[in-house]
Amino acid sequence: METLSAFAYLISAVLFIFALRGLSHPTTSQNGLMCGMVGMGIAIITTLLISTGGWWMTLLGIAIGGSIGTVIAQRINMTALPQLVAAFHSLVGLAAVFVAASAFFAPETFEIGFDGEIYISSLIEMSLGAAIGAITFTGSIIAFGKLQGIIPGKPITFPNQHIINAGLGGFLFFLIIMLCATQLSFFFWAIVILAFVLGVLIIIPIGGADMPVIVSMLNSYSGWAAAGIGFTLQNDLLIITGALVGSSGAILSYIMCKGMNRSFLSVVLGGFGAQSSGASGGADYSDKQPKIGSPEDAAFIMKNASKVIIVPGYGMAVSQAQHVLREMADALKHQNVEVKYAIHPVAGRMPGHMNVLLAEANVPYDEVFELEDINRDFGQADVAFVIGANDITNPAAKNDSSSPIYGMPVLDVEKAKTVFFIKRSLGSGYAGIDNPLFYADNTYMLLGDAKKVTENVVKALE
């Protein structure tokens, strides 16, 4: 039986790897998702078969959790996916804390020693798993609050925050050493409580512009927490899957940071908001007036264009304009206009947010391009249609060394012959700075709700 379970776990691990591979591209994402589901199903059935008892409790937990997950999945709006992911990460972290507590207080059950005589290696594993899990839990709750608007998106800073966080981090390692030396429950709970506090203090100073990185970073944390607990449980599959999630989350965080020309350390230590909360840096455009266009203007110019590039941003997600945007694109294609979509790696509030929304609206995959593949096309485009984006199109990132986002790769929309920019107002984006593109000679601002404005463009096209 042990050999069969090990083989089944190996199959699950391979399927999880195929799942990650499939999820790396929209055209293979459904197959990747199916591989992950089958792999998880095999893992759960195998675990139940080798379990020595507690079937009914396990099945009850699966039924309750599965029912809640099903209801949430059916009711959640696609625009709320970032905060949903953050909330789910918090549950993974909390689960790691609970498993670590179970192992500490019932070591015989997990075959890691006896009460007061737990193996040192197991103590290190469970304490690290509990600490990372606790940080993931409260950090994800804060990220959820910022994304949901319950907590202000601007950085919440306090004096000497970096020194305090570093000191608490050092004290956390001291508590782990004391737990290994004394095996007292006081130090275990002290580790958990301090890690809960650290999770809040680490995430709350980070501004909304860096939330895509934070979401992927917390995803990585949850994976490492699961891997640490896997060592405690002596479960190879949990170690493998935790390592897969941890490493893929870390790689994704690196990709996000590269997309913003940021170092991962600078994001964790403060984020965009900490540098620009007062809109410091950058040029002052208060004396300039933008050109205000109309949906009819946009429809006329785009209908007579040869090539239109659409740039979606979080404003599209908030107004849920992806379906009417696709209608607009279809209307343009009926006029023999070439239409493409340009996706910035940090558009929205989580990696792939715009891709998911466009896929929901059945936008063809071959019309969606990443920044490095589409940027050269803006110079040949007749129109760049920006809907709800801001910082990812700001040319100050390329030509204003005083700007807080200087060096960040952006979409070259200003190179198009005409730029239509849909925004609710002329306000700044997450980075807290003005966008000079609003005042360019070839830019027309279409102020208002993204969905309503686009609906009016579609009516004018018809």
Side-chain angles (χ1 to χ4, degrees):
M1 189 63 181
E2 185 177 345
T3 302
L4 289 176
S5 63
F7 181 69
Y9 281 157
L10 177 62
I11 293 176
S12 296
V14 172
L15 286 172
F16 290 148
I17 294 172
F18 283 147
L20 284 176
R21 180 68 182 88
L23 291 170
S24 64
H25 195 275
T27 57
T28 58
S29 60
Q30 289 187 342
N31 291 334
L33 184 61
M34 186 60 65
C35 285
M37 293 169 62
V38 173
M40 183 56 69
I42 293 174
I44 292 173
I45 293 172
T46 303
T47 302
L48 289 173
L49 290 176
I50 65 175
S51 176
T52 57
W55 269 56
W56 292 111
M57 290 295 292
T58 303
L59 291 175
L60 179 61
I62 292 174
I64 294 174
S67 299
I68 294 173
T70 300
V71 172
I72 292 175
Q74 290 177 338
R75 295 184 177 181
I76 194 72
N77 292 325
M78 299 297 284
T79 52
L81 279 181
Q83 46 266 55
L84 177 66
V85 171
F88 281 173
H89 288 165
S90 72
L91 297 179
V92 176
L94 189 60
V97 174
F98 284 154
V99 174
S102 300
F104 181 77
F105 290 102
E108 300 93 341
T109 304
F110 298 90
E111 299 180 353
I112 58 174
F114 304 93
D115 187 22
E117 298 179 7
I118 301 175
Y119 304 141
I120 297 298
S121 59
S122 297
L123 283 170
I124 295 174
E125 292 158 5
M126 73 173 66
S127 58
L128 287 175
I132 297 173
I135 291 173
T136 303
F137 173 69
T138 51
S140 297
I141 292 297
I142 296 300
F144 169 83
K146 284 178 174 282
L147 292 169
Q148 188 68 17
I150 300 172
I151 301 173
K154 292 183 178 181
I156 301 175
T157 58
F158 48 92
N160 301 316
Q161 65 184 51
H162 303 319
I163 296 175
I164 293 174
N165 289 344
L168 291 177
F171 188 55
L172 182 63
F173 281 104
F174 170 75
L175 291 175
I176 293 175
I177 294 173
M178 292 302 297
L179 176 66
C180 294
T182 65
Q183 302 204 15
L184 295 176
S185 59
F186 169 81
F187 289 109
F188 177 84
W189 291 120
I191 290 170
V192 172
I193 293 172
L194 181 58
F196 280 148
V197 173
L198 263 177
V200 175
L201 297 181
I202 289 173
I203 303 301
I204 207 159
I206 298 174
D210 288 330
M211 275 301 121
V213 178
I214 297 307
V215 170
S216 60
M217 182 191 76
L218 291 169
N219 176 52
S220 178
Y221 283 3
S222 66
W224 296 125
I229 296 302
F231 282 104
T232 301
L233 302 180
Q234 301 177 45
N235 188 304
D236 294 338
L237 182 62
L238 193 55
I239 296 171
I240 293 172
T241 54
L244 282 173
V245 174
S247 57
S248 61
I251 293 171
L252 189 57
S253 297
Y254 170 76
I255 293 173
M256 293 296 102
C257 287
K258 186 178 179 181
M260 298 187 298
N261 192 38
R262 311 270 288 161
S263 70
F264 181 75
L265 184 61
S266 70
V267 172
V268 174
L269 294 180
F272 272 131
Q275 297 178 3
S276 57
S277 56
S280 59
D284 182 11
Y285 299 94
S286 58
D287 60 336
K288 294 189 176 182
Q289 294 296 323
K291 294 180 180 178
I292 305 299
S294 68
E296 291 74 21
D297 295 333
F300 177 80
I301 293 177
M302 287 194 291
K303 185 165 58 176
N304 291 281
S306 298
K307 184 173 185 178
V308 173
I309 300 179
I310 299 172
V311 180
Y314 187 66
M316 181 195 77
V318 172
S319 64
Q320 301 186 48
Q322 61 269 25
H323 294 281
V324 67
L325 185 67
R326 194 214 65 215
E327 291 180 23
M328 186 192 80
D330 290 343
L332 289 173
K333 286 186 285 186
H334 288 153
Q335 300 286 338
N336 296 319
V337 179
E338 180 185 2
V339 178
K340 292 183 177 181
Y341 296 80
I343 307 296
H344 192 280
V346 295
R349 288 192 174 183
M350 66 176 288
H353 195 186
M354 296 299 104
N355 302 76
V356 171
L357 293 173
L358 294 177
E360 184 203 13
N362 296 318
V363 171
Y365 295 135
D366 58 359
E367 295 178 5
V368 182
F369 297 87
E370 301 295 330
L371 178 145
E372 61 270 15
D373 299 321
I374 194 70
N375 243 4
R376 67 178 67 92
D377 291 5
F378 281 104
Q380 290 79 46
D382 295 294
V383 175
F385 188 84
V386 184
I387 175 168
N390 194 336
D391 297 327
I392 61 173
T393 64
N394 194 331
K398 297 178 291 184
N399 51 39
D400 185 357
S401 59
S402 65
S403 173
I405 63 171
Y406 181 69
M408 168 180 157
V410 294
L411 292 163
D412 296 334
V413 296
E414 76 279 2
K415 293 182 179 179
K417 293 179 182 177
T418 303
V419 179
F420 288 106
F421 216 117
I422 300 181
K423 275 188 97 270
R424 287 184 179 273
S425 68
L426 296 175
S428 60
Y430 280 130
I433 56 174
D434 284 327
N435 190 340
L437 185 60
F438 295 170
Y439 312 98
D441 292 336
N442 62 333
T443 297
Y444 293 89
M445 300 299 299
L446 305 177
L447 300 180
D449 177 78
K451 184 177 180 179
K452 291 181 179 179
V453 172
T454 309
E455 286 175 345
N456 290 331
V457 172
V458 173
K459 290 178 182 178
L461 286 171
E462 294 172 348

